[in-house]
Amino acid sequence: MFYREKINNFDSFFLKLSSRPNNAVFFCRLTGYSQEIHRFIREYYTAARQNGVIIDGRIPNPDQRQLEYFSEMIGNEFQNDRNFLDVKMSRWLPRATAEQRKLIVDGIYSMLQDMKNEGKNDNMLRNAYIKYMCWLYYKFERIVNKLGTEDIPKILYNGEISNYELQFMSILSKAGTDILLLEYNGDSNYLKHDPQSRYSQLYTVNNQTNFPENFNYKSIQEEIVKETNRRNVYGPLPALSAATNVWMNKSDVKEILRAANSRGERQDVYYNSFIAQYGVEDKLTFTSELMDLYSSLKADKRKICVINGTIPNPTPEEIAQISRKQYSTAEQMAGDLAKNINYSSNMELQKIMMKSFIDVIFEEENGISINKLLNRAIYLLCWLKRYQKELFVNWRYPETPVCIFFAGCHTEAEAMFVKFISRLPVDVVLYFPNLNEGNAFKPDNAVTVKYELSMPINQFPAGDGRTVVSTVAYQAERELDSLMYQNTGIYRNQQYKKAEVVVLQTMYEETSILWQQELKYRQNFSVANDVVVIPAIYEKVCGVKNGDVQQYWRDIKKLITKDTIVVKNIPWHTSTDYNPIKSQATLFLHNKKLQRGKIKAHRDYKYGILREEMQEHIFDKIQYLLDNEIISGTYRNGTEYTVIATALNLEQSIVRMIQKFDFTKTNPKLLIVNTKEQILSLEDTIIVALLNQIGFDITIFVPTGYQCVEKYFNRCYINEHNIGEYVYDLSVPDFNMVSESGGSSIRKFFGRST
């Protein structure tokens, strides 16, 4: 008989008989799941299909027809005797060899003896004997005919095994069969029949979990079919494969300086590296170490590609060069898009690129839509075409170019590109010197080097005349800067680049108090994730308090600061005003998104002199007006183009105020005084809405109380104050001539006068 041995690893199951000591077979059960277990079950499933039996649920009991045939062929007599069993077996399984029948008979006789010793009567032994014989003939004959051969037959059983089934599995185990039980619901049912685990071994792996609900034989088969189909996608495979990091002696970026021909002796692999360094070891020497590394690579005539920060998105022209179709599966997509990879000067490198591309597509498939995967794949191909000239011009094995990603990898598309490049004959190094910046890439197959010190540097010092390096004093100042200006309520000049606006709901009497107050002192001011929340005044003041016109003008004058735009005549702007952007506005919007690149490239774009972050701030707010359809007619009668043209043609005084606007300090102001029976034009409304979103304080004085603001708004969020009686036919004075004598009501309330 064969003897059950304990297994130490799953590979033991697939050893040939001659490679196993002492006629060893394996009978184990699994109650948990892991990726390691998943791979093993798949391999075992394939082996059982080719050379064994797969059971999903219970083994059916013999039916009446099967029992009648058994009775006809063998008879109904029974003796618990080895010779009797051997005679019956030779008639029942005539195609089995004498040695195979002996293995089965020995197993059945041993089991019947155990049952007899446990007190089972002859009738119970007879029932077990008949059940074993029927199962052998109708379910397991293909195993019997392979017992004792080099390829040990396999049984894969999924379900809660019964006592008779366990006995029968033990018989087959002793006869020379490997058996694997999958217990999705745990081990408790099995232990009812075999509390001491005499028949089988419970095998566990580290960090195993419960089996997934959708894990079954069908899912395994679908996975195998899918992989078979995917193998057909690849076409001719490259002769070379990657040996990534295996040659390295230590976790150190400097290892990439080793020449390719000294990394290993195998001629069927390329020895590349994939390294990610987080933080810096020494702030004082980090920059010089990078420059030394770059100089050494150059001296060795290594091809080097350095990518600083975020990889620039592919241009429309680059995207247009990628041939593509409509795809319903990742297999269709990967196989077709891979045809875009062309490196005719070295077909082996082209095959490596194509295989690596297809591998990455399949790995990225899970969890995202086919369209999103397509977009990332197109980006990957565009970037490959862009950078392969730097990396692979005149490439010959075993050359190993170097690709350095510095302070970048912020998007999933970039992470996918890095993963792809790391599979090519390239040394890939990622630097994340600033530990306070997040990144989208968590490499599981890269050598990681981690230091505790963080350094805010965003450009690799390539020694090409464009490198910016910092002094010790500068680094110290940056550290002090982070201590002083992070979560302290103290802000340095122009510290933040993004802002959102909330409208303050106030009493009218608060306006003169808040008007010149720095934003950081206002209620509801906050900073989260480097975005400033600006609490802005946005109000319409109707009527004249107590009918006192002179005091009314004095109160308005107190709001006029050096950063206040005063508008006395409405309409302020009209559709007939000269606007060079108007004729081009239709080119600046596509699928409801501003085409920022086209706008910036236009000859009449006037905001190019502004800080880059302020240009983006303006674009963000124009996009906000469009997305929320703040202005009536947006996306219905072409008003969206008027919004764009007007927003991109602000007058110089406004543009200058926007340029110097610091989101944490005093914000710019807009005062409109409308004493006539006029309303804001469409263009006026757009400007008011835009300046509000940019962060201006806006107050519109309407002594008549007429509706003059509301007409072109879809939703008007402006606060309205009615402070007194309506007064008509007023003329707006020259505020330079308005006397400051007297005092506003709010100053009198606090005991002050002007």
Side-chain angles (χ1 to χ4, degrees):
M1 284 193 297
F2 287 78
Y3 300 93
R4 179 176 68 84
E5 293 284 349
K6 286 189 175 183
I7 64 169
N8 297 316
N9 58 73
F10 290 132
D11 291 338
S12 301
F13 268 101
F14 305 106
L15 294 174
K16 300 289 186 180
L17 177 60
S18 58
S19 299
R20 300 187 184 189
N22 304 321
N23 283 348
V25 292
F26 305 109
F27 185 180
C28 83
R29 57 193 193 273
L30 298 173
T31 60
Y33 176 86
S34 71
Q35 288 301 314
E36 179 187 1
I37 289 175
H38 183 101
R39 288 190 291 269
F40 164 65
I41 293 175
R42 270 194 46 186
E43 188 174 359
Y44 193 92
Y45 174 87
T46 301
R49 287 190 65 193
Q50 296 172 350
N51 185 36
V53 174
I54 296 174
I55 303 166
D56 193 6
R58 294 284 178 87
I59 307 173
N61 284 323
D63 59 26
Q64 187 61 36
R65 180 184 60 81
Q66 293 170 348
L67 292 173
E68 288 176 355
Y69 182 73
F70 176 80
S71 177
E72 177 184 341
M73 294 295 297
I74 304 299
N76 293 321
E77 67 274 13
F78 168 71
Q79 297 177 28
N80 186 15
D81 178 77
R82 189 189 301 273
N83 291 331
F84 170 83
L85 295 174
D86 187 58
V87 171
K88 297 298 184 183
M89 195 67 68
S90 63
R91 296 181 57 190
W92 187 237
L93 299 175
R95 290 188 296 176
T97 66
E99 182 60 29
Q100 289 168 339
R101 289 196 299 269
K102 181 178 184 305
L103 290 170
I104 292 292
V105 168
D106 287 347
I108 292 177
Y109 181 72
S110 175
M111 182 58 66
L112 294 177
Q113 288 298 103
D114 288 344
M115 293 176 64
K116 182 177 180 180
N117 294 335
E118 292 172 1
K120 302 295 191 292
N121 58 41
D122 285 349
N123 190 51
M124 298 175 72
L125 300 183
R126 176 179 178 276
N127 289 338
Y129 153 73
I130 294 174
K131 184 170 292 192
Y132 300 157
M133 295 290 275
C134 287
W135 281 344
L136 280 170
Y137 184 83
Y138 289 106
K139 188 70 176 177
F140 293 91
E141 186 179 15
R142 66 187 302 237
I143 281 182
V144 173
N145 296 328
K146 296 179 180 180
L147 294 176
T149 61
E150 269 290 280
D151 291 323
I152 296 178
K154 308 253 184 303
I155 295 175
L156 178 60
Y157 184 105
N158 161 40
E160 296 190 348
I161 197 165
S162 68
N163 190 47
Y164 278 117
E165 288 175 312
L166 181 56
Q167 293 171 357
F168 185 67
M169 291 295 116
S170 178
I171 292 169
L172 294 179
S173 174
K174 293 177 180 178
T177 304
D178 287 333
I179 302 173
L180 176 64
L181 302 184
L182 302 182
E183 299 180 310
Y184 293 168
N185 298 320
D187 204 33
S188 57
N189 175 75
Y190 178 89
L191 294 176
K192 293 177 184 177
H193 311 303
D194 183 19
Q196 304 301 321
S197 292
R198 293 186 302 121
Y199 296 141
S200 70
Q201 170 192 355
L202 177 64
Y203 191 80
T204 60
V205 300
N206 294 331
N207 301 318
Q208 70 178 34
T209 61
N210 295 330
F211 280 97
E213 291 185 7
N214 60 349
F215 184 83
N216 50 44
Y217 291 157
K218 182 179 179 181
S219 68
I220 295 173
Q221 181 60 25
E222 289 174 348
E223 190 176 318
I224 293 172
V225 170
K226 189 174 185 178
E227 287 200 0
T228 301
N229 293 336
R230 287 186 169 182
R231 281 196 292 270
N232 298 329
V233 172
Y234 286 93
L237 294 176
L240 297 170
S241 59
T244 306
N245 296 336
V246 298
W247 53 273
M248 296 174 62
N249 294 326
K250 56 184 178 179
S251 300
D252 191 331
V253 174
K254 293 178 182 177
E255 284 285 278
I256 68 172
L257 295 174
R258 284 177 58 185
N261 56 14
S262 67
R263 295 179 177 184
E265 297 179 355
R266 291 180 57 180
Q267 299 299 308
D268 60 339
V269 301
Y270 47 89
Y271 294 95
N272 67 331
S273 61
F274 187 20
I275 307 171
Q277 177 175 317
Y278 299 85
V280 302
E281 184 177 15
D282 189 328
K283 294 182 180 181
L284 302 182
T285 61
F286 179 63
T287 303
S288 60
E289 288 174 355
L290 295 180
M291 295 182 71
D292 289 344
L293 177 72
Y294 187 85
S295 299
S296 297
L297 293 170
K298 278 290 187 182
D300 292 338
K301 302 188 183 314
R302 300 275 293 278
K303 298 180 181 70
I304 309 171
C305 176
V306 177
I307 302 174
N308 289 301
T310 300
I311 306 175
N313 286 340
T315 64
E317 292 75 19
E318 287 177 317
I319 292 174
Q321 293 178 10
I322 304 301
S323 175
R324 57 194 182 276
K325 302 174 184 175
Q326 294 292 327
Y327 308 108
S328 57
T329 67
E331 287 79 13
Q332 292 176 352
M333 178 195 302
D336 187 60
L337 288 180
K339 297 174 185 176
N340 286 280
I341 297 175
N342 180 29
Y343 199 83
S344 56
S345 62
N346 192 306
M347 292 306 298
E348 178 65 13
L349 180 57
Q350 179 173 308
K351 290 178 184 179
I352 293 172
M353 289 178 174
M354 294 179 72
K355 180 182 184 302
S356 300
F357 173 79
I358 295 170
D359 285 343
V360 170
I361 293 295
F362 288 157
E363 290 175 12
E364 294 289 314
E365 175 191 7
N366 294 331
I368 63 173
S369 67
I370 196 72
N371 286 333
K372 185 175 289 187
L373 183 62
L374 173 61
N375 291 336
R376 291 183 187 175
I378 291 172
Y379 270 47
L380 190 156
L381 291 170
C382 290
W383 286 334
L384 174 63
K385 287 178 179 288
R386 182 190 299 173
Y387 296 115
Q388 75 178 32
K389 295 177 183 178
E390 294 182 59
L391 291 170
F392 298 116
V393 61
N394 299 322
W395 181 86
R396 291 292 181 269
Y397 177 82
E399 290 179 12
T400 311
V402 180
C403 188
I404 297 173
F405 296 87
F406 196 83
C409 204
H410 300 295
T411 68
E412 296 295 337
E414 290 177 287
M416 182 174 172
F417 180 64
V418 171
K419 186 183 295 186
F420 166 67
I421 289 292
S422 71
R423 296 165 183 257
L424 306 182
V426 178
D427 284 338
V428 175
V429 182
L430 297 96
Y431 283 102
F432 302 106
N434 191 346
L435 298 176
N436 298 318
E437 288 187 352
N439 63 81
F441 195 54
K442 307 297 181 188
D444 54 3
N445 60 331
V447 169
T448 57
V449 183
K450 295 184 178 181
Y451 297 112
E452 296 182 358
L453 297 179
S454 179
M455 185 172 176
I457 177 174
N458 54 21
Q459 187 174 19
F460 187 89
D464 55 4
R466 297 173 295 171
T467 301
V468 177
V469 296
S470 56
T471 64
V472 175
Y474 177 84
Q475 288 298 329
E477 183 186 39
R478 292 299 91 193
E479 292 182 9
L480 181 61
D481 201 46
S482 63
L483 291 174
M484 289 184 62
Y485 301 122
Q486 297 295 328
N487 303 316
T488 63
I490 305 173
Y491 305 100
R492 66 172 180 267
N493 292 335
Q494 308 294 352
Q495 181 170 347
Y496 296 104
K497 299 179 180 180
K498 289 185 173 291
E500 301 292 341
V501 172
V502 294
V503 176
L504 279 175
Q505 188 85 31
T506 66
M507 297 173 57
Y508 168 67
E509 287 76 10
E510 292 180 281
T511 300
S512 60
I513 298 174
L514 296 171
W515 196 255
Q516 297 191 49
Q517 188 179 64
E518 289 191 4
L519 294 169
K520 63 186 177 184
Y521 298 124
R522 291 183 180 180
Q523 292 184 26
N524 303 111
F525 173 87
S526 64
V527 178
N529 299 321
D530 289 333
V531 177
V532 179
V533 176
I534 297 175
I537 296 171
Y538 192 35
E539 62 186 8
K540 173 186 175 185
V541 180
C542 298
V544 177
K545 191 169 186 178
N546 300 323
D548 187 342
V549 174
Q550 296 304 314
Q551 186 60 47
Y552 182 68
W553 298 132
R554 283 194 292 268
D555 288 344
I556 293 176
K557 180 176 181 178
K558 292 169 186 175
L559 300 180
I560 300 175
T561 69
K562 61 182 179 63
D563 291 323
T564 303
I565 296 170
V566 180
V567 178
K568 299 180 182 180
N569 296 302
I570 295 299
W572 180 18
H573 299 85
T574 68
S575 60
T576 60
D577 293 345
Y578 174 69
N579 187 337
I581 299 294
K582 186 179 296 185
S583 62
Q584 305 296 317
T586 55
L587 303 176
F588 298 157
L589 192 68
H590 181 67
N591 291 335
K592 297 186 177 182
K593 295 298 180 183
L594 283 177
Q595 301 301 292
R596 304 186 185 198
K598 287 186 177 180
I599 294 172
K600 289 182 176 181
H602 194 270
R603 65 179 182 276
D604 292 315
Y605 174 63
K606 61 168 63 175
Y607 303 158
I609 59 175
L610 299 180
R611 291 177 286 133
E612 185 67 30
E613 61 267 23
M614 193 52 75
Q615 294 182 55
E616 291 300 316
H617 184 59
I618 294 173
F619 287 142
D620 289 343
K621 301 317 173 186
I622 298 173
Q623 189 69 59
Y624 176 89
L625 298 185
L626 297 173
D627 291 344
N628 293 276
E629 300 182 19
I630 300 297
I631 307 300
S632 298
T634 301
Y635 297 127
R636 288 190 291 279
N637 57 19
T639 301
E640 60 272 18
Y641 301 117
T642 305
V643 171
I644 294 171
T646 304
L648 293 175
N649 194 46
L650 298 176
E651 58 195 56
Q652 185 185 62
S653 58
I654 297 177
V655 173
R656 288 179 174 179
M657 286 186 179
I658 293 174
Q659 164 68 4
K660 70 176 184 177
F661 180 23
D662 188 328
F663 298 146
T664 65
K665 295 182 171 56
T666 304
N667 54 335
K669 321 291 182 185
L670 172 64
L671 271 181
I672 298 177
V673 184
N674 184 20
T675 62
K676 308 300 182 183
E677 296 178 357
Q678 299 292 331
I679 66 171
L680 270 68
S681 66
L682 173 60
E683 288 74 17
D684 291 341
T685 306
I686 293 168
I687 293 173
V688 167
L690 176 65
L691 296 186
N692 164 249
Q693 283 302 311
I694 287 175
F696 278 57
D697 282 339
I698 300 175
T699 299
I700 304 173
F701 286 95
V702 188
T704 62
Y706 289 144
Q707 288 201 39
C708 63
V709 181
E710 296 79 2
K711 179 177 180 180
Y712 294 105
F713 278 112
N714 259 337
R715 295 173 297 279
C716 188
Y717 297 109
I718 194 166
N719 296 320
E720 184 170 323
H721 302 294
N722 282 282
I723 64 171
E725 61 184 271
Y726 298 148
V727 179
Y728 307 96
D729 301 321
L730 293 178
S731 295
V732 181
D734 179 351
F735 285 104
N736 291 324
M737 305 302 294
V738 173
S739 171
E740 296 186 6
S741 61
S744 68
S745 58
I746 192 65
R747 291 182 179 271
K748 291 177 180 178
F749 179 82
F750 286 103
R752 299 179 182 178
S753 62
T754 57

